[in-house]
Amino acid sequence: GPETPLRELSSGPVSLATAQQAATRFGDVLSLGAMLMGPVLLALLARFRPCMSQTSQRLPPIDVALDYGTENGVPHTDHRWAPLDPLNIHKQRTWEGSQLAMAAMTGVHEDRSGWLDKLSTLPCAVEFAQSVDLQDPSSDMVVVIGSKDSLPTVNNVHEAVPFNHMLKGLSGGNVSAGTASTSYSVVDGGEDKLCTFMVCCTSTTASRHNSPTRPDQIWQFCKKQLVAPAKKGKTISIIVAVSKLEDVFPAACAVARAFPLWTAKTGSPVQPYRVKVGFVCQETNEIPKDLLERCQAAGKAIEFAAALVDLPPSELNVDSYVKLSEGLSESLGFEMNVYRGETLKAMGLNGLYDVGKCALEEPALLVCSKRVDPVRRTADTKSIVWVGKGITYDTGGLAVKPREGMCGMKTDMGGSAAVFGAFLAAVQQPLDADLHAILCIAENAIGPKALRNDDIIHMYSGKTVEVNN
């Protein structure tokens, strides 16, 4: 009845008066919407009026050439007679626009496809040197890194920099390093230039998660403060002050880790970084040359491994990973055996085979070896084997991952990148043991041949594994 209170539909009927009132309000809303959308609809109708007027009368047909590329080296073009009506013209223009867009994207991709060639030369973003001139006018930034005790050993700082005064107020925290910065003017090429001077004071507090050298703080400082200006082409001179000679190597690795090699950002610089790193040690006045060579080799390997992880799966897949490894095998002179596809199954390596059997590229097992030189080999020479997981992309297979869990799965080959990078650094040094790196490369894809939940895999070890996820 008219006096029935308004209630939810699930609770009972709604009064007639309330329904009439709601209908009136709904009509007002529709009227308001028509008033607001009316001009927009009229504009759209005016724009497409020629199309609507010609639907009943067809214009003479035209010859539409559809290009399907080449077939056996011969261009393959299909000529079809199509009615010349506005809808077909719109479709044709849309198709042509999409082709232009694809061509543009293909050009960009080809421009970026040289990354694997660049990585095959093992480039390095950071140069390690026995001496770095802190008063070099060509430097845009001068950086000094070290602990509170080792920083005073740095000399040859520009006279305009209040270095000692900056050190008094610095101390390294347990989590983050203490930093200070200032600016000073120099003359470079007859022109005045403003340079930046920065000090990073690291902590000496150590735990089971770090060491007294505190490479974690060195890496964080370089990543946050130096990478951005380096990407803009700034010339950076770095001095790392250490207490002992054994601290040089971990400090060098921390600096190298901060500077990424690979990028695909629009407008990103293609020129190499201009970063030069030197060391000051309280134990000795000169850093041995062979130590710097080891630092350079390790720096290259760290940046190489990071670049592999950063590469998208469209560029780093199983085939390109194998090709890159084969090229490095030839240039660095280590043995390499590759086992792929059905060969893995015949060898009994069903774990790797089953994970990657559905992908477009066959799974691969890479066995890289570097043996001790005969003159150094003894009866006690041992073998060391490193094994790395190299799933170039992990969708989760038929147990497909959700969107949040799948994004970033290009990094599922990070274990193989770390092993391969360490192997490349080691084989450039004299070895006292036979060194082997085994890379298990595959893509966990989705398709008819994908591994199913409830499947049982017979592993090479003889064990059986039931797949649940």
Short mmCIF file of all heavy atoms in Angstrom, two decimals, residues 84-115:
data_model
loop_
_atom_site.label_atom_id
_atom_site.label_comp_id
_atom_site.label_asym_id
_atom_site.label_seq_id
_atom_site.Cartn_x
_atom_site.Cartn_y
_atom_site.Cartn_z
N LEU A 84 33.91 0.06 -53.37
CA LEU A 84 34.45 1.28 -52.80
C LEU A 84 33.40 1.95 -51.92
O LEU A 84 32.74 2.90 -52.30
CB LEU A 84 34.89 2.24 -53.92
CG LEU A 84 35.56 3.55 -53.46
CD1 LEU A 84 36.80 3.24 -52.66
CD2 LEU A 84 35.88 4.43 -54.66
N ASP A 85 33.17 1.38 -50.75
CA ASP A 85 32.27 2.05 -49.83
C ASP A 85 33.08 2.53 -48.63
O ASP A 85 34.19 2.05 -48.38
CB ASP A 85 31.12 1.13 -49.40
CG ASP A 85 31.60 -0.01 -48.52
OD1 ASP A 85 31.87 0.27 -47.35
OD2 ASP A 85 31.70 -1.15 -48.99
N PRO A 86 32.56 3.49 -47.91
CA PRO A 86 33.34 4.10 -46.82
C PRO A 86 33.82 3.10 -45.78
O PRO A 86 34.89 3.27 -45.20
CB PRO A 86 32.36 5.10 -46.22
CG PRO A 86 31.41 5.41 -47.31
CD PRO A 86 31.27 4.15 -48.10
N LEU A 87 33.05 2.06 -45.49
CA LEU A 87 33.46 1.11 -44.47
C LEU A 87 34.72 0.36 -44.91
O LEU A 87 35.65 0.18 -44.12
CB LEU A 87 32.33 0.12 -44.19
CG LEU A 87 32.60 -0.89 -43.07
CD1 LEU A 87 32.88 -0.15 -41.76
CD2 LEU A 87 31.42 -1.84 -42.91
N ASN A 88 34.75 -0.05 -46.19
CA ASN A 88 35.95 -0.73 -46.69
C ASN A 88 37.15 0.21 -46.70
O ASN A 88 38.28 -0.19 -46.41
CB ASN A 88 35.71 -1.27 -48.09
CG ASN A 88 34.92 -2.56 -48.07
OD1 ASN A 88 34.91 -3.26 -47.07
ND2 ASN A 88 34.22 -2.85 -49.15
N ILE A 89 36.90 1.49 -47.07
CA ILE A 89 38.00 2.45 -47.06
C ILE A 89 38.55 2.61 -45.65
O ILE A 89 39.76 2.64 -45.42
CB ILE A 89 37.51 3.82 -47.60
CG1 ILE A 89 37.16 3.69 -49.10
CG2 ILE A 89 38.58 4.89 -47.39
CD1 ILE A 89 36.58 4.94 -49.68
N HIS A 90 37.64 2.70 -44.68
CA HIS A 90 38.07 2.82 -43.28
C HIS A 90 38.88 1.61 -42.84
O HIS A 90 39.93 1.75 -42.20
CB HIS A 90 36.84 3.00 -42.39
CG HIS A 90 37.17 3.05 -40.93
ND1 HIS A 90 37.82 4.11 -40.34
CD2 HIS A 90 36.94 2.14 -39.93
CE1 HIS A 90 37.98 3.88 -39.06
NE2 HIS A 90 37.45 2.69 -38.78
N LYS A 91 38.42 0.41 -43.22
CA LYS A 91 39.16 -0.80 -42.85
C LYS A 91 40.54 -0.81 -43.50
O LYS A 91 41.53 -1.19 -42.89
CB LYS A 91 38.37 -2.03 -43.27
CG LYS A 91 37.14 -2.31 -42.42
CD LYS A 91 36.45 -3.58 -42.88
CE LYS A 91 35.25 -3.89 -42.00
NZ LYS A 91 34.56 -5.11 -42.45
N GLN A 92 40.59 -0.39 -44.79
CA GLN A 92 41.87 -0.41 -45.50
C GLN A 92 42.86 0.56 -44.86
O GLN A 92 44.02 0.24 -44.67
CB GLN A 92 41.64 -0.04 -46.97
CG GLN A 92 42.91 -0.03 -47.82
CD GLN A 92 43.49 -1.42 -48.00
OE1 GLN A 92 42.82 -2.41 -47.71
NE2 GLN A 92 44.72 -1.49 -48.45
N ARG A 93 42.34 1.76 -44.51
CA ARG A 93 43.23 2.73 -43.88
C ARG A 93 43.70 2.25 -42.52
O ARG A 93 44.84 2.47 -42.13
CB ARG A 93 42.51 4.07 -43.77
CG ARG A 93 42.32 4.77 -45.11
CD ARG A 93 41.53 6.04 -44.97
NE ARG A 93 41.39 6.71 -46.25
CZ ARG A 93 40.62 7.79 -46.44
NH1 ARG A 93 39.93 8.30 -45.42
NH2 ARG A 93 40.55 8.34 -47.63
N THR A 94 42.80 1.60 -41.79
CA THR A 94 43.19 1.05 -40.49
C THR A 94 44.25 -0.01 -40.65
O THR A 94 45.24 -0.06 -39.90
CB THR A 94 41.96 0.45 -39.78
OG1 THR A 94 40.97 1.46 -39.65
CG2 THR A 94 42.33 -0.08 -38.41
N TRP A 95 44.08 -0.88 -41.67
CA TRP A 95 45.08 -1.93 -41.92
C TRP A 95 46.41 -1.33 -42.31
O TRP A 95 47.46 -1.74 -41.83
CB TRP A 95 44.56 -2.85 -43.02
CG TRP A 95 45.49 -3.98 -43.33
CD1 TRP A 95 45.58 -5.17 -42.67
CD2 TRP A 95 46.47 -4.02 -44.37
NE1 TRP A 95 46.54 -5.96 -43.24
CE2 TRP A 95 47.11 -5.29 -44.28
CE3 TRP A 95 46.86 -3.14 -45.36
CZ2 TRP A 95 48.10 -5.67 -45.15
CZ3 TRP A 95 47.87 -3.52 -46.23
CH2 TRP A 95 48.48 -4.77 -46.12
N GLU A 96 46.37 -0.29 -43.20
CA GLU A 96 47.61 0.36 -43.61
C GLU A 96 48.29 1.02 -42.42
O GLU A 96 49.51 0.97 -42.26
CB GLU A 96 47.32 1.38 -44.69
CG GLU A 96 46.87 0.78 -46.02
CD GLU A 96 46.43 1.84 -47.00
OE1 GLU A 96 46.37 3.02 -46.59
OE2 GLU A 96 46.15 1.49 -48.16
N GLY A 97 47.49 1.64 -41.56
CA GLY A 97 48.06 2.26 -40.37
C GLY A 97 48.71 1.26 -39.45
O GLY A 97 49.79 1.50 -38.89
N SER A 98 48.06 0.10 -39.31
CA SER A 98 48.64 -0.93 -38.45
C SER A 98 49.94 -1.46 -39.05
O SER A 98 50.90 -1.77 -38.33
CB SER A 98 47.65 -2.08 -38.25
OG SER A 98 47.40 -2.74 -39.47
N GLN A 99 50.00 -1.56 -40.40
CA GLN A 99 51.24 -2.01 -41.03
C GLN A 99 52.36 -1.01 -40.80
O GLN A 99 53.51 -1.38 -40.54
CB GLN A 99 51.00 -2.22 -42.53
CG GLN A 99 50.01 -3.31 -42.86
CD GLN A 99 50.45 -4.65 -42.28
OE1 GLN A 99 51.55 -5.12 -42.53
NE2 GLN A 99 49.57 -5.26 -41.50
N LEU A 100 52.02 0.29 -40.90
CA LEU A 100 53.04 1.31 -40.64
C LEU A 100 53.52 1.25 -39.19
O LEU A 100 54.70 1.38 -38.90
CB LEU A 100 52.47 2.70 -40.95
CG LEU A 100 52.21 3.01 -42.42
CD1 LEU A 100 51.52 4.36 -42.56
CD2 LEU A 100 53.52 2.99 -43.21
N ALA A 101 52.56 1.04 -38.28
CA ALA A 101 52.94 0.93 -36.87
C ALA A 101 53.83 -0.28 -36.63
O ALA A 101 54.83 -0.21 -35.90
CB ALA A 101 51.68 0.84 -36.00
N MET A 102 53.48 -1.41 -37.26
CA MET A 102 54.31 -2.61 -37.11
C MET A 102 55.70 -2.39 -37.70
O MET A 102 56.71 -2.82 -37.14
CB MET A 102 53.63 -3.80 -37.79
CG MET A 102 52.41 -4.31 -37.05
SD MET A 102 52.80 -4.91 -35.39
CE MET A 102 53.85 -6.31 -35.81
N ALA A 103 55.75 -1.70 -38.84
CA ALA A 103 57.06 -1.43 -39.44
C ALA A 103 57.90 -0.54 -38.55
O ALA A 103 59.10 -0.75 -38.39
CB ALA A 103 56.86 -0.76 -40.81
N ALA A 104 57.23 0.44 -37.92
CA ALA A 104 57.97 1.32 -37.01
C ALA A 104 58.49 0.54 -35.82
O ALA A 104 59.65 0.69 -35.40
CB ALA A 104 57.06 2.46 -36.55
N MET A 105 57.64 -0.33 -35.24
CA MET A 105 58.07 -1.12 -34.09
C MET A 105 59.18 -2.09 -34.49
O MET A 105 60.11 -2.33 -33.75
CB MET A 105 56.88 -1.87 -33.50
CG MET A 105 55.92 -0.97 -32.74
SD MET A 105 54.68 -1.89 -31.81
CE MET A 105 53.77 -2.66 -33.12
N THR A 106 59.06 -2.64 -35.70
CA THR A 106 60.10 -3.57 -36.16
C THR A 106 61.43 -2.85 -36.30
O THR A 106 62.48 -3.37 -35.94
CB THR A 106 59.69 -4.20 -37.50
OG1 THR A 106 58.45 -4.85 -37.33
CG2 THR A 106 60.74 -5.18 -37.96
N GLY A 107 61.36 -1.61 -36.79
CA GLY A 107 62.59 -0.85 -36.92
C GLY A 107 63.23 -0.59 -35.58
O GLY A 107 64.44 -0.73 -35.41
N VAL A 108 62.41 -0.25 -34.57
CA VAL A 108 62.95 -0.02 -33.23
C VAL A 108 63.54 -1.30 -32.68
O VAL A 108 64.61 -1.32 -32.09
CB VAL A 108 61.83 0.51 -32.30
CG1 VAL A 108 62.31 0.55 -30.86
CG2 VAL A 108 61.39 1.89 -32.76
N HIS A 109 62.83 -2.43 -32.91
CA HIS A 109 63.32 -3.70 -32.39
C HIS A 109 64.65 -4.07 -33.03
O HIS A 109 65.58 -4.52 -32.36
CB HIS A 109 62.29 -4.80 -32.65
CG HIS A 109 62.72 -6.14 -32.14
ND1 HIS A 109 62.76 -6.44 -30.80
CD2 HIS A 109 63.16 -7.25 -32.79
CE1 HIS A 109 63.18 -7.68 -30.64
NE2 HIS A 109 63.43 -8.18 -31.82
N GLU A 110 64.76 -3.86 -34.35
CA GLU A 110 66.01 -4.18 -35.01
C GLU A 110 67.13 -3.28 -34.49
O GLU A 110 68.27 -3.68 -34.38
CB GLU A 110 65.85 -4.01 -36.52
CG GLU A 110 64.98 -5.10 -37.16
CD GLU A 110 64.81 -4.87 -38.64
OE1 GLU A 110 65.23 -3.80 -39.12
OE2 GLU A 110 64.23 -5.75 -39.30
N ASP A 111 66.75 -2.03 -34.13
CA ASP A 111 67.73 -1.12 -33.58
C ASP A 111 68.25 -1.63 -32.24
O ASP A 111 69.39 -1.38 -31.88
CB ASP A 111 67.08 0.25 -33.42
CG ASP A 111 68.09 1.37 -33.55
OD1 ASP A 111 69.15 1.15 -34.15
OD2 ASP A 111 67.80 2.44 -33.05
N ARG A 112 67.38 -2.35 -31.50
CA ARG A 112 67.74 -2.84 -30.19
C ARG A 112 68.30 -4.26 -30.23
O ARG A 112 68.80 -4.75 -29.22
CB ARG A 112 66.51 -2.84 -29.28
CG ARG A 112 65.95 -1.44 -29.02
CD ARG A 112 66.82 -0.68 -28.08
NE ARG A 112 66.28 0.64 -27.80
CZ ARG A 112 66.93 1.56 -27.10
NH1 ARG A 112 68.12 1.30 -26.63
NH2 ARG A 112 66.40 2.74 -26.89
N SER A 113 68.18 -4.94 -31.36
CA SER A 113 68.54 -6.35 -31.39
C SER A 113 70.04 -6.57 -31.31
O SER A 113 70.49 -7.70 -31.23
CB SER A 113 67.99 -7.00 -32.67
OG SER A 113 68.58 -6.40 -33.81
N GLY A 114 70.82 -5.50 -31.37
CA GLY A 114 72.26 -5.66 -31.31
C GLY A 114 72.79 -5.90 -29.91
O GLY A 114 74.00 -5.98 -29.71
N TRP A 115 71.88 -5.99 -28.94
CA TRP A 115 72.35 -6.15 -27.56
C TRP A 115 73.09 -7.46 -27.37
O TRP A 115 74.11 -7.52 -26.66
CB TRP A 115 71.17 -6.07 -26.59
CG TRP A 115 70.82 -4.66 -26.25
CD1 TRP A 115 69.73 -3.96 -26.66
CD2 TRP A 115 71.59 -3.77 -25.44
NE1 TRP A 115 69.77 -2.68 -26.15
CE2 TRP A 115 70.89 -2.53 -25.40
CE3 TRP A 115 72.79 -3.88 -24.76
CZ2 TRP A 115 71.37 -1.44 -24.71
CZ3 TRP A 115 73.25 -2.78 -24.05
CH2 TRP A 115 72.55 -1.58 -24.04
#
